[in-house]
Amino acid sequence: SDLQKQEERGELLQPLIFVLLVLCSILLYFKVSLMDPGFVKPEEEEGEDKGQGVVIPQIPGDIKLRRCGYCLVKQPMRAKHCQLCQHCVRRYDHHCPWLENCVGERNHPLFIAYLSVQLVVLLWGGHVAWSGLYFEQSREWLQHNIFLLVSFLLIFIFTIVVLLLLVSHLYLISCNTTTWEFMSHHRISYLQHSQLENPFDQGIIVNLWRFFC
């Protein structure tokens, strides 16, 4: 049959891969938005001080962990209270309004995976929309191609946004810092009193390995 011949020629492989990528991006979206980003729980306070001293030896010893003024748990180093989620989040990066969830210690790698898959889908969709356009200076052309033209413009805008997000996050990850630490460096006590500009930086290779692996 024609369908079997198309399958043998591999003409169905690309649409199948595209659909799988779209499904993957949707699954990653719900996974990142619904999972625990690293909420600090009261029962996890024991042994917190000891662990912090081992992981971050560059932090001055006179900086003590403080209790959150909202949920009253002892905040680990690099944690921050999110007033929208009503929880302290470990290695807090930011609260994403599109996900309605924080990006923190547990879901940050999946957030990067989601952005990467989404960027591939947008680039592929933009290519498909552009390839379907043929340009003529006439009213009939605009009527027949307005949907593809608007789709391409929207895809182009979203691609720029996702690309900038992904590049900025990869840069911060390679420096072993978070969006919150980068934007609020002057207000964070353990960064203000540190002798190093970024006491968590262990080199690009180690930073990426520790984050993704």
Side-chain angles (χ1 to χ4, degrees):
S1 63
D2 293 338
L3 186 62
Q4 185 177 2
K5 291 179 180 179
Q6 290 178 353
E7 184 178 3
E8 291 175 354
R9 292 197 300 265
E11 295 179 2
L12 297 181
L13 181 61
Q14 290 188 0
L16 179 61
I17 294 175
F18 181 78
V19 171
L20 290 176
L21 285 173
V22 173
L23 291 176
C24 181
S25 68
I26 294 174
L27 291 175
L28 283 170
Y29 172 85
F30 283 107
K31 178 67 174 177
V32 176
S33 63
L34 296 176
M35 74 180 295
D36 178 356
F39 294 136
V40 181
K41 301 175 183 178
E43 60 269 19
E44 297 175 353
E45 290 185 8
E46 295 183 4
E48 197 70 57
D49 296 332
K50 183 187 295 183
Q52 293 297 334
V54 174
V55 177
I56 315 167
Q58 301 95 331
I59 297 297
D62 58 346
I63 297 180
K64 298 180 180 180
L65 302 183
R66 66 182 184 90
R67 288 197 176 273
C68 174
Y70 296 96
C71 53
L72 302 180
V73 298
K74 184 179 287 187
Q75 285 185 335
M77 195 76 71
R78 313 188 78 179
K80 182 183 181 296
H81 183 86
C82 176
Q83 297 189 21
L84 295 175
C85 293
Q86 294 297 312
H87 283 285
C88 286
V89 180
R90 294 176 181 273
R91 201 181 183 279
Y92 176 86
D93 189 86
H94 71 285
H95 182 91
C96 181
W98 303 105
L99 297 172
E100 282 295 331
N101 195 13
C102 285
V103 176
E105 184 178 71
R106 295 189 61 190
N107 63 350
H108 201 170
L110 286 177
F111 179 71
I112 298 300
Y114 165 70
L115 289 180
S116 302
V117 174
Q118 193 65 47
L119 181 61
V120 173
V121 171
L122 287 169
L123 290 173
W124 198 333
H127 172 72
V128 172
W130 180 261
S131 63
L133 288 172
Y134 60 95
F135 294 95
E136 293 180 5
Q137 294 183 353
S138 64
R139 185 174 181 179
E140 290 77 13
W141 175 89
L142 185 61
Q143 291 177 347
H144 287 88
N145 292 273
I146 185 66
F147 178 75
L148 276 178
L149 189 60
V150 172
S151 298
F152 177 78
L153 291 177
L154 288 175
I155 290 173
F156 177 78
I157 294 172
F158 285 125
T159 300
I160 296 299
V161 173
V162 173
L163 180 62
L164 291 176
L165 272 174
L166 182 60
V167 170
S168 63
H169 275 276
L170 288 176
Y171 169 75
L172 294 176
I173 291 167
S174 67
C175 300
N176 196 4
T177 189
T178 63
T179 303
W180 171 58
E181 291 171 341
F182 181 78
M183 300 295 292
S184 306
H185 188 280
H186 60 287
R187 296 193 291 110
I188 302 175
S189 59
Y190 59 80
L191 295 180
Q192 282 181 328
H193 299 90
S194 174
Q195 297 178 354
L196 302 176
E197 182 177 355
N198 180 10
F200 307 107
D201 189 5
Q202 296 179 300
I204 295 178
I205 302 299
V206 176
N207 292 339
L208 293 175
W209 176 264
R210 290 176 66 88
F211 181 85
F212 289 106
C213 305

